[in-house]
Amino acid sequence: MRLPFHLRGTDGTVAIEVVRNDDPEALGCRFPSGARDLATCTAVIEHPGRGYVGLMGWVQLVSSTDGESGEDGFDPDPLGFYGDLNVPYGFFGVRPTLFDAPSRDTRDDLVWVAHSFLCYSPDLATRMVCAVTGFSWGFTIRSGRIKIQGPEKLPAGAWDRHGARLSGAYPGWEFAPGYRTG
């Protein structure tokens, strides 16, 4: 799937691939047996922005029936090495690639959905996050059978619905409503 976006006066595209994880060892998965056959997601940004113009980040939230908020709630999904850092971005840099390969120890019935948003901060002096576009992806497990889902484009309202949760998880950061173009 390809998602077009407009940022800082220039058009760009996100090339998204959601596939079954058939080689978790090659992907560096921490728990290869738990990741095998579940979904992996790679989202590559195509945009001519260089240097600070190309600074973007990914904010991802996950809803999982075995997670903290259950199937009805979404929780921020930062990288583990961020620890207690107050940073909403999972990946940040010049045109960063989003990559995720969830794992589970069991194959109990489960619904796992990620909302992944391409974002930017208007400048390096403020703690504001503006979303540009977003998509959902994930997988379900029913009676031991795994079904990969997505990617599907998310409307700006999906980002807006996560604003209160993100503000609570990342005090001191602002999350601008709607999709922006910078």
Side-chain angles (χ1 to χ4, degrees):
M1 175 174 149
R2 297 178 72 76
L3 275 181
F5 68 92
H6 189 81
L7 178 60
R8 298 180 178 121
T10 307
D11 291 331
T13 304
V14 180
I16 306 158
E17 181 180 62
V18 177
V19 297
R20 186 172 305 277
N21 189 345
D22 60 2
D23 195 356
E25 293 85 0
L27 296 175
C29 294
R30 186 171 170 197
F31 304 107
S33 63
R36 184 167 305 283
D37 294 326
L38 301 183
T40 67
C41 178
T42 305
V44 177
I45 299 167
E46 300 165 356
H47 187 270
R50 297 177 15 221
Y52 297 124
V53 174
L55 281 179
M56 301 173 213
W58 288 98
V59 173
Q60 181 167 281
L61 299 100
V62 170
S63 171
S64 180
T65 52
D66 67 349
E68 180 179 313
S69 295
E71 187 175 2
D72 294 331
F74 280 81
D75 297 308
D77 188 28
L79 293 176
F81 58 76
Y82 281 164
D84 292 334
L85 291 177
N86 182 28
V87 178
Y89 291 111
F91 300 91
F92 186 83
V94 177
R95 295 180 308 278
T97 295
L98 176 139
F99 174 77
D100 196 7
S103 67
R104 290 296 185 273
D105 292 334
T106 68
R107 293 299 187 248
D108 296 335
D109 285 1
L110 175 73
V111 177
W112 190 100
V113 178
H115 283 182
S116 305
F117 297 95
L118 176 60
C119 301
Y120 71 98
S121 290
D123 59 64
L124 298 177
T126 60
R127 289 182 162 209
M128 175 168 287
V129 178
C130 303
V132 175
T133 191
F135 65 96
S136 68
W137 66 280
F139 63 93
T140 59
I141 303 174
R142 293 279 185 250
S143 302
R145 297 184 60 145
I146 300 165
K147 181 180 177 188
I148 307 300
Q149 298 179 323
E152 293 181 22
K153 182 178 180 171
L154 288 172
W159 170 251
D160 295 344
R161 284 190 293 278
H162 295 304
R165 179 69 176 103
L166 288 166
S167 293
Y170 302 103
W173 285 83
E174 294 179 53
F175 298 88
Y179 287 154
R180 304 282 175 108
T181 61

